[in-house]
């Protein structure tokens, strides 16, 4: 990213061998556990840590914030924490440094007991009715059956009403994690039954620190002023910032 042109290391990092399948930075460096989420989201991580340590685990969570702050990623990490299991630990925990039995499948969005649904394309009562019918069945292999519903504000009024009864009296083996960019469009009756976390915009200083760390791993030199410009343009979104960083490289 300097004016002197790319070095050999930056050329190889930015243009990997054909067929190796280049992964954009936002995917390659997506947070995998709560220690990664500490960038900009310390209050949420602290609250969840205390809740898990005292056994006060909510039945439903509402994650809200602007695009690109990590709502869906946080939802998967939370699902991982709820279903954490290793030969030594078999309980929900925030300490996810050692990959557990279900971790990889959950983070890749392919675990049978962690069901992800995009409310933008599944807005109706029929989609919610399917969930309501399935919640009574126990999870196949994990501790909890977790439903992650993205852009939950897009659900119809009828769908929200259908979901409400299940949220009022959910089975012990079911957890809901909702994500939305439009919290004001979510009915208060639903909000009141969720533990709400407002994911903050990430500060420019934190983004610069994140970019610096990633570029060091990639072996790409960068000027601090350039990274500061990218961080300002990202407007608090890690995903937008990493997309811009990809372009800059």
């Amino acid at each position: 990213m300097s004016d002197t042109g790319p070095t050999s290391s930056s050329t190889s990092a930015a243009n990997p061998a054909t067929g190796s399948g280049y992964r954009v930075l936002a995917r390659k460096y997506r947070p995998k556990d709560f220690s990664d989420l500490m960038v900009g989201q310390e209050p949420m991580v602290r609250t969840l840590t205390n809740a898990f340590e005292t056994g006060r685990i909510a039945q439903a969570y509402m994650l809200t914030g602007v695009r690109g702050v990590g709502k869906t990623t946080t939802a998967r990490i939370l699902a991982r924490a709820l279903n954490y299991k290793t030969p030594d630990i078999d309980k929900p925990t925030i300490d996810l440094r050692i990959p557990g039995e279900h971790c990889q499948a959950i983070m890749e969005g392919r675990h049978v007991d962690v069901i992800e649904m995009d409310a933008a394309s599944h807005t109706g009562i029929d989609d919610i009715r399917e969930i309501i019918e399935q919640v009574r069945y126990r999870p196949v292999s994990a501790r909890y059956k977790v439903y992650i519903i993205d852009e939950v504000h897009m659900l119809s009024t009828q769908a929200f009403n259908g979901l409400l009864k299940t949220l009022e009296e959910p089975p012990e083996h079911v957890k809901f994690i909702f994500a939305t960019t439009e919290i004001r469009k979510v009915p208060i009756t639903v909000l009141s039954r969720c533990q709400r976390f407002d994911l903050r915009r990430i500060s420019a200083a934190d983004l610069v620190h994140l970019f610096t760390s990633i570029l060091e791993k990639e072996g790409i030199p960068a000027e601090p002023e350039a990274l500061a410009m990218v961080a300002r343009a990202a407007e608090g979104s890690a995903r937008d910032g990493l997309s811009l960083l990809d372009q800059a490289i």
Side-chain angles (χ1 to χ4, degrees):
M1 281 162 62
S2 68
D3 296 331
T4 56
T7 63
S8 58
S9 61
S10 66
T11 305
S12 62
N15 301 299
T18 320
S20 62
Y22 179 67
R23 290 171 69 203
V24 296
L25 297 178
R27 288 192 64 193
K28 188 174 180 180
Y29 293 98
R30 179 177 280 167
K32 293 181 174 61
D33 57 34
F34 286 103
S35 62
D36 292 339
L37 281 178
M38 286 301 281
V39 178
Q41 310 302 346
E42 295 90 342
M44 180 194 69
V45 175
R46 201 159 50 240
T47 302
L48 282 172
T49 300
N50 293 338
F52 275 54
E53 283 178 356
T54 56
R56 300 175 69 85
I57 299 171
Q59 290 294 129
Y61 298 89
M62 181 71 69
L63 307 176
T64 177
V66 298
R67 73 179 196 282
V69 290
K71 296 183 295 297
T72 307
T73 299
T74 301
R76 287 182 179 176
I77 293 172
L78 187 48
R80 186 186 161 197
L82 288 166
N83 284 317
Y84 191 69
K85 183 180 181 182
T86 67
D88 302 317
I89 303 168
D90 189 4
K91 65 176 183 178
T93 180
I94 296 298
D95 186 356
L96 305 171
R97 285 171 295 184
I98 299 168
E101 191 177 306
H102 307 287
C103 291
Q104 188 172 349
I106 291 173
M107 293 308 293
E108 291 174 358
R110 56 178 180 80
H111 196 288
V112 67
D113 291 320
V114 179
I115 301 96
E116 295 188 26
M117 184 182 110
D118 182 8
S121 53
H122 299 83
T123 59
I125 183 62
D126 289 340
D127 299 300
I128 294 302
R129 196 173 282 135
E130 194 176 320
I131 290 176
I132 294 165
E133 287 171 2
Q134 292 297 321
V135 294
R136 65 184 126 166
Y137 301 114
R138 297 197 66 81
V140 176
S141 61
R143 182 179 298 108
Y144 294 111
K145 185 179 278 190
V146 182
Y147 288 92
I148 298 173
I149 303 182
D150 202 7
E151 299 300 348
V152 70
H153 66 275
M154 300 285 281
L155 290 178
S156 66
T157 304
Q158 208 180 1
F160 271 125
N161 289 338
L163 189 61
L164 200 55
K165 181 66 177 172
T166 304
L167 282 179
E168 284 172 349
E169 298 173 10
E172 285 294 315
H173 60 267
V174 172
K175 302 290 181 189
F176 287 95
I177 306 173
F178 306 117
T180 180
T181 50
E182 301 277 354
I183 194 70
R184 287 171 294 182
K185 293 182 180 178
V186 179
I188 192 67
T189 47
V190 171
L191 270 179
S192 65
R193 287 163 176 81
C194 300
Q195 196 170 99
R196 174 177 165 177
F197 292 105
D198 293 76
L199 275 65
R200 304 182 306 182
R201 289 178 185 268
I202 303 168
S203 72
D206 282 338
L207 284 174
V208 168
H209 181 73
L210 176 67
F211 299 159
T212 303
S213 165
I214 286 172
L215 290 178
E216 282 174 1
K217 292 172 185 170
E218 293 287 305
I220 297 171
E223 296 166 2
E225 296 84 356
L227 295 185
M229 286 176 67
V230 174
R232 282 197 299 275
E235 297 182 335
S237 166
R239 187 174 64 213
D240 286 3
L242 290 173
S243 295
L244 289 167
L245 196 62
D246 256 322
Q247 291 178 45
I249 292 170

